Amino acid sequence: MARRPDLVGLTVLAMLSVRASHPYELHRFIVDTHKDYVTGLPRSLYHAVERLAGEELIVPVETSREGRRPERTVYEITDEGRRELATRIRALLENPGAERRTFTAVVSLIGVLPVPDALRALRTRAATIEGALAAMSGHLKAMRDSGLPDVLMIEVDYERAVSEAELTWLHQLIARLESGELDWPSTVRQELLGQVLGES
């Protein structure tokens, strides 16, 4: 069985690629931006931070304490962490085989990639889905030609309808990126993170 993607770790890497933060700040950002695919908070987040630090994808850069509060360690992403993040995001964007929850999570983190890389990954996904749709249509036709009743083909028809909807959405997203309507320069990403965390 294929290992499930580490969506919590991926989210931590994505947020730290914007700026160094401590786990409590990351927790607030996840909640405030409704990253609902991140479950088991706050424990899953702290475990992900520990795991990523153990793999040297993130490193502690500062520890501070305010009053009687527990110490807070600020982490930043390493160069290896940035490479790993980009590799994972590209692979999950390109591969339609991942479950839809995973794709939703990855799309929410797409801004960590340069726009040209995101476009390439989305075009690859769209081409794969187009090929799968052609195969499904051929399969449905063969089943109908063999005399099978429609009720025995409902699941294939459903998969085709869902794939067609995703392909339409992908084409719209690609068009928005190609036209420049949607982009994410790093300065804007930094400011947006500050806004979400309530900073000036």
mmCIF file of all heavy atoms in Angstrom, residues 72-91:
data_model
loop_
_atom_site.group_PDB
_atom_site.id
_atom_site.type_symbol
_atom_site.label_atom_id
_atom_site.label_comp_id
_atom_site.label_asym_id
_atom_site.label_seq_id
_atom_site.Cartn_x
_atom_site.Cartn_y
_atom_site.Cartn_z
ATOM 1 N N ARG A 72 9.310 29.267 23.458
ATOM 2 C CA ARG A 72 8.880 29.115 22.072
ATOM 3 C C ARG A 72 10.106 29.095 21.189
ATOM 4 O O ARG A 72 10.918 30.013 21.235
ATOM 5 C CB ARG A 72 7.960 30.272 21.674
ATOM 6 C CG ARG A 72 6.592 30.141 22.305
ATOM 7 C CD ARG A 72 5.650 31.180 21.761
ATOM 8 N NE ARG A 72 4.326 30.952 22.300
ATOM 9 C CZ ARG A 72 3.345 31.828 22.262
ATOM 10 N NH1 ARG A 72 3.545 33.006 21.693
ATOM 11 N NH2 ARG A 72 2.180 31.556 22.766
ATOM 12 N N THR A 73 10.209 28.025 20.393
ATOM 13 C CA THR A 73 11.337 27.891 19.480
ATOM 14 C C THR A 73 10.891 28.264 18.074
ATOM 15 O O THR A 73 9.908 27.734 17.566
ATOM 16 C CB THR A 73 11.875 26.448 19.495
ATOM 17 O OG1 THR A 73 12.257 26.114 20.828
ATOM 18 C CG2 THR A 73 13.073 26.299 18.579
ATOM 19 N N VAL A 74 11.629 29.187 17.482
ATOM 20 C CA VAL A 74 11.361 29.616 16.105
ATOM 21 C C VAL A 74 12.168 28.730 15.162
ATOM 22 O O VAL A 74 13.363 28.502 15.380
ATOM 23 C CB VAL A 74 11.737 31.101 15.913
ATOM 24 C CG1 VAL A 74 11.632 31.502 14.447
ATOM 25 C CG2 VAL A 74 10.852 31.988 16.786
ATOM 26 N N TYR A 75 11.509 28.235 14.120
ATOM 27 C CA TYR A 75 12.157 27.370 13.131
ATOM 28 C C TYR A 75 12.187 28.074 11.781
ATOM 29 O O TYR A 75 11.313 28.882 11.470
ATOM 30 C CB TYR A 75 11.393 26.055 12.970
ATOM 31 C CG TYR A 75 11.471 25.158 14.175
ATOM 32 C CD1 TYR A 75 10.571 25.287 15.221
ATOM 33 C CD2 TYR A 75 12.464 24.189 14.263
ATOM 34 C CE1 TYR A 75 10.647 24.461 16.335
ATOM 35 C CE2 TYR A 75 12.550 23.351 15.378
ATOM 36 C CZ TYR A 75 11.638 23.501 16.408
ATOM 37 O OH TYR A 75 11.729 22.685 17.509
ATOM 38 N N GLU A 76 13.196 27.716 10.990
ATOM 39 C CA GLU A 76 13.226 28.168 9.598
ATOM 40 C C GLU A 76 13.505 26.965 8.706
ATOM 41 O O GLU A 76 14.089 25.969 9.142
ATOM 42 C CB GLU A 76 14.244 29.285 9.378
ATOM 43 C CG GLU A 76 15.683 28.872 9.456
ATOM 44 C CD GLU A 76 16.654 30.032 9.188
ATOM 45 O OE1 GLU A 76 16.212 31.195 9.151
ATOM 46 O OE2 GLU A 76 17.848 29.752 9.036
ATOM 47 N N ILE A 77 13.097 27.068 7.466
ATOM 48 C CA ILE A 77 13.297 25.983 6.515
ATOM 49 C C ILE A 77 14.731 26.019 5.995
ATOM 50 O O ILE A 77 15.319 27.091 5.833
ATOM 51 C CB ILE A 77 12.273 26.100 5.364
ATOM 52 C CG1 ILE A 77 12.244 24.836 4.507
ATOM 53 C CG2 ILE A 77 12.513 27.349 4.527
ATOM 54 C CD1 ILE A 77 11.063 24.769 3.543
ATOM 55 N N THR A 78 15.301 24.842 5.760
ATOM 56 C CA THR A 78 16.653 24.754 5.194
ATOM 57 C C THR A 78 16.566 24.708 3.671
ATOM 58 O O THR A 78 15.482 24.539 3.096
ATOM 59 C CB THR A 78 17.358 23.476 5.681
ATOM 60 O OG1 THR A 78 16.623 22.336 5.206
ATOM 61 C CG2 THR A 78 17.441 23.422 7.207
ATOM 62 N N ASP A 79 17.708 24.832 3.014
ATOM 63 C CA ASP A 79 17.727 24.716 1.548
ATOM 64 C C ASP A 79 17.218 23.350 1.114
ATOM 65 O O ASP A 79 16.477 23.229 0.133
ATOM 66 C CB ASP A 79 19.143 24.947 1.005
ATOM 67 C CG ASP A 79 19.574 26.402 1.119
ATOM 68 O OD1 ASP A 79 18.687 27.276 1.292
ATOM 69 O OD2 ASP A 79 20.785 26.674 1.055
ATOM 70 N N GLU A 80 17.623 22.309 1.864
ATOM 71 C CA GLU A 80 17.146 20.958 1.558
ATOM 72 C C GLU A 80 15.635 20.876 1.749
ATOM 73 O O GLU A 80 14.922 20.234 0.976
ATOM 74 C CB GLU A 80 17.847 19.931 2.458
ATOM 75 C CG GLU A 80 17.423 18.496 2.233
ATOM 76 C CD GLU A 80 17.684 17.987 0.817
ATOM 77 O OE1 GLU A 80 18.628 18.469 0.157
ATOM 78 O OE2 GLU A 80 16.931 17.099 0.370
ATOM 79 N N GLY A 81 15.126 21.563 2.781
ATOM 80 C CA GLY A 81 13.684 21.602 3.023
ATOM 81 C C GLY A 81 12.934 22.259 1.877
ATOM 82 O O GLY A 81 11.865 21.801 1.464
ATOM 83 N N ARG A 82 13.505 23.345 1.340
ATOM 84 C CA ARG A 82 12.869 24.024 0.196
ATOM 85 C C ARG A 82 12.821 23.100 -1.027
ATOM 86 O O ARG A 82 11.822 23.045 -1.743
ATOM 87 C CB ARG A 82 13.635 25.304 -0.157
ATOM 88 C CG ARG A 82 13.394 26.435 0.799
ATOM 89 C CD ARG A 82 14.131 27.709 0.357
ATOM 90 N NE ARG A 82 14.120 28.666 1.434
ATOM 91 C CZ ARG A 82 13.068 29.410 1.772
ATOM 92 N NH1 ARG A 82 11.957 29.298 1.082
ATOM 93 N NH2 ARG A 82 13.128 30.250 2.778
ATOM 94 N N ARG A 83 13.932 22.392 -1.268
ATOM 95 C CA ARG A 83 13.963 21.478 -2.418
ATOM 96 C C ARG A 83 12.937 20.355 -2.227
ATOM 97 O O ARG A 83 12.224 19.983 -3.169
ATOM 98 C CB ARG A 83 15.371 20.896 -2.604
ATOM 99 C CG ARG A 83 16.354 21.870 -3.236
ATOM 100 C CD ARG A 83 17.653 21.203 -3.619
ATOM 101 N NE ARG A 83 18.426 20.763 -2.465
ATOM 102 C CZ ARG A 83 19.276 21.530 -1.801
ATOM 103 N NH1 ARG A 83 19.492 22.778 -2.174
ATOM 104 N NH2 ARG A 83 19.944 21.057 -0.764
ATOM 105 N N GLU A 84 12.895 19.806 -1.020
ATOM 106 C CA GLU A 84 11.956 18.716 -0.729
ATOM 107 C C GLU A 84 10.513 19.188 -0.868
ATOM 108 O O GLU A 84 9.669 18.486 -1.419
ATOM 109 C CB GLU A 84 12.216 18.193 0.693
ATOM 110 C CG GLU A 84 11.348 17.022 1.108
ATOM 111 C CD GLU A 84 11.621 15.750 0.319
ATOM 112 O OE1 GLU A 84 12.685 15.628 -0.332
ATOM 113 O OE2 GLU A 84 10.750 14.863 0.353
ATOM 114 N N LEU A 85 10.221 20.383 -0.365
ATOM 115 C CA LEU A 85 8.873 20.947 -0.467
ATOM 116 C C LEU A 85 8.464 21.085 -1.926
ATOM 117 O O LEU A 85 7.376 20.641 -2.321
ATOM 118 C CB LEU A 85 8.841 22.315 0.229
ATOM 119 C CG LEU A 85 7.571 23.148 0.045
ATOM 120 C CD1 LEU A 85 6.359 22.445 0.648
ATOM 121 C CD2 LEU A 85 7.764 24.531 0.666
ATOM 122 N N ALA A 86 9.318 21.673 -2.748
ATOM 123 C CA ALA A 86 8.990 21.877 -4.164
ATOM 124 C C ALA A 86 8.787 20.541 -4.876
ATOM 125 O O ALA A 86 7.853 20.378 -5.669
ATOM 126 C CB ALA A 86 10.094 22.688 -4.846
ATOM 127 N N THR A 87 9.645 19.564 -4.567
ATOM 128 C CA THR A 87 9.531 18.239 -5.186
ATOM 129 C C THR A 87 8.211 17.582 -4.834
ATOM 130 O O THR A 87 7.510 17.035 -5.699
ATOM 131 C CB THR A 87 10.708 17.343 -4.740
ATOM 132 O OG1 THR A 87 11.931 17.938 -5.185
ATOM 133 C CG2 THR A 87 10.593 15.941 -5.298
ATOM 134 N N ARG A 88 7.849 17.625 -3.542
ATOM 135 C CA ARG A 88 6.598 16.991 -3.099
ATOM 136 C C ARG A 88 5.380 17.683 -3.703
ATOM 137 O O ARG A 88 4.447 17.015 -4.152
ATOM 138 C CB ARG A 88 6.493 17.036 -1.570
ATOM 139 C CG ARG A 88 7.456 16.119 -0.845
ATOM 140 C CD ARG A 88 7.182 16.170 0.638
ATOM 141 N NE ARG A 88 8.277 15.633 1.433
ATOM 142 C CZ ARG A 88 8.279 15.593 2.756
ATOM 143 N NH1 ARG A 88 7.263 16.075 3.449
ATOM 144 N NH2 ARG A 88 9.304 15.087 3.412
ATOM 145 N N ILE A 89 5.376 19.005 -3.692
ATOM 146 C CA ILE A 89 4.227 19.750 -4.211
ATOM 147 C C ILE A 89 4.051 19.463 -5.708
ATOM 148 O O ILE A 89 2.944 19.178 -6.173
ATOM 149 C CB ILE A 89 4.393 21.270 -3.975
ATOM 150 C CG1 ILE A 89 4.341 21.599 -2.489
ATOM 151 C CG2 ILE A 89 3.339 22.067 -4.754
ATOM 152 C CD1 ILE A 89 2.989 21.617 -1.873
ATOM 153 N N ARG A 90 5.164 19.512 -6.465
ATOM 154 C CA ARG A 90 5.073 19.243 -7.905
ATOM 155 C C ARG A 90 4.532 17.836 -8.163
ATOM 156 O O ARG A 90 3.648 17.653 -9.001
ATOM 157 C CB ARG A 90 6.451 19.396 -8.572
ATOM 158 C CG ARG A 90 6.783 20.817 -8.969
ATOM 159 C CD ARG A 90 7.960 20.870 -9.921
ATOM 160 N NE ARG A 90 9.131 20.188 -9.404
ATOM 161 C CZ ARG A 90 10.090 20.772 -8.693
ATOM 162 N NH1 ARG A 90 10.034 22.063 -8.419
ATOM 163 N NH2 ARG A 90 11.126 20.071 -8.259
ATOM 164 N N ALA A 91 5.054 16.854 -7.442
ATOM 165 C CA ALA A 91 4.626 15.465 -7.662
ATOM 166 C C ALA A 91 3.136 15.287 -7.361
ATOM 167 O O ALA A 91 2.419 14.614 -8.116
ATOM 168 C CB ALA A 91 5.461 14.523 -6.793
#
